[in-house]
Amino acid sequence: MAAKADWEAALRGDRAAFQAIVTPHLKELFEAARRELQYRVAIGDLGPDDLTPEELAGEVLIRGWQDRHRRPPGVGTRAWLLALLFRVVDDIVRREARFRNLARVSLEAPVPAEPVYDDDESFWEWYQPDEMTRWEDVVQDRSSLTPEQAAAAAEAFTRSLDPRARHVFLLAEVYRVPLPEAARALGLSPPEAARRLADADREIKLDGEGQTE
């Protein structure tokens, strides 16, 4: 009941209530952001210095606040934040790809806009006030990505795996979100989510067989 009351208050604009809802999930969100960045760096979507896990997780929280009225019914906070993480990083990767293409086309390409994760500075200041638990309090590993970590991420999921299938696989198999809830969080029908999960399982199995030959 308390969580429902907090969510209703958050929908009315109560940021303290939103903070209370997301705080229990911050550590897992940071770890998920770190793993997602490892994968994106490993496959070449992002550079190792483009974005930090803190910045990515912070942008997810900003997006969550902005999109709180569009949270799918029946999707818990944890699954909702993880699905938002995938959407946010996809948006960042597309933006970075556009900027790289502009740079290749012309030396007079326009200066890129401010990074997406720097939006809504006032919200970011709200998110981390003095009295709130800071990232330093919940995160133990702040080390940079090593080549070994990048290689491991690349081996786990290859470029051939469809992004949507990968998202379904991560939510359902890695984060153990029930498949119907994962489907709602990702905006997929249950049959489509099941099909994409089967595709991911098949692709990963084939990759594993190829590596053992």
Side-chain angles (χ1 to χ4, degrees):
M1 294 299 294
K4 181 179 179 180
D6 281 339
W7 184 248
E8 291 175 350
L11 290 177
R12 295 193 298 268
D14 187 337
R15 290 184 171 185
F18 185 80
Q19 173 183 318
I21 292 167
V22 301
T23 294
H25 306 286
L26 294 185
K27 186 172 183 179
E28 184 176 28
L29 179 62
F30 177 87
E31 290 300 321
R34 180 180 58 82
R35 287 191 291 267
E36 188 68 13
L37 288 178
Q38 287 180 5
Y39 166 71
R40 296 294 185 160
V41 171
I43 66 173
D45 282 347
L46 294 171
D49 299 322
D50 285 345
L51 190 64
T52 68
E54 293 95 335
E55 289 167 336
L56 178 54
E59 174 59 22
V60 172
L61 295 176
I62 292 171
R63 182 75 64 86
W65 173 256
Q66 295 171 341
D67 291 357
R68 64 193 186 282
H69 293 283
R70 291 191 286 272
R71 175 178 167 180
V75 175
T77 302
R78 177 175 175 269
W80 179 59
L81 290 174
L82 290 169
L84 279 178
L85 169 67
F86 299 145
R87 294 191 186 99
V88 167
V89 77
D90 282 346
D91 289 346
I92 292 172
V93 166
R94 283 193 292 268
R95 184 203 68 211
E96 293 297 326
R98 287 196 299 268
F99 290 163
R100 286 195 294 267
N101 289 337
L102 284 173
R104 285 196 296 266
V105 169
S106 173
L107 294 177
E108 298 179 355
V111 177
E114 289 296 318
V116 66
Y117 43 83
D118 284 341
D119 289 346
D120 203 348
E121 183 178 354
S122 62
F123 183 91
W124 178 250
E125 291 174 351
W126 159 81
Y127 163 67
Q128 209 171 41
D130 291 339
E131 67 272 13
M132 182 181 173
T133 301
R134 294 178 178 273
W135 285 118
E136 294 91 330
D137 299 325
V138 297
V139 176
Q140 296 179 350
D141 182 10
R142 301 168 68 88
S143 60
S144 60
L145 183 67
T146 66
E148 291 79 12
Q149 289 172 325
E155 291 171 0
F157 298 104
T158 67
R159 283 184 180 271
S160 60
L161 189 59
D162 176 78
R164 296 289 271 177
R166 176 177 174 270
H167 293 165
V168 174
F169 179 87
L170 286 174
L171 282 184
E173 299 296 334
V174 177
Y175 297 112
R176 299 299 181 182
V177 175
L179 187 58
E181 184 181 3
R184 288 192 294 270
L186 295 170
L188 302 173
S189 68
E192 183 179 4
R195 178 180 62 79
R196 290 181 182 273
L197 180 58
D199 290 343
D201 288 336
R202 182 167 53 252
E203 186 69 35
I204 292 168
K205 182 178 179 181
L206 289 174
D207 286 346
E209 291 174 350
Q211 292 173 7
T212 57
E213 292 177 357

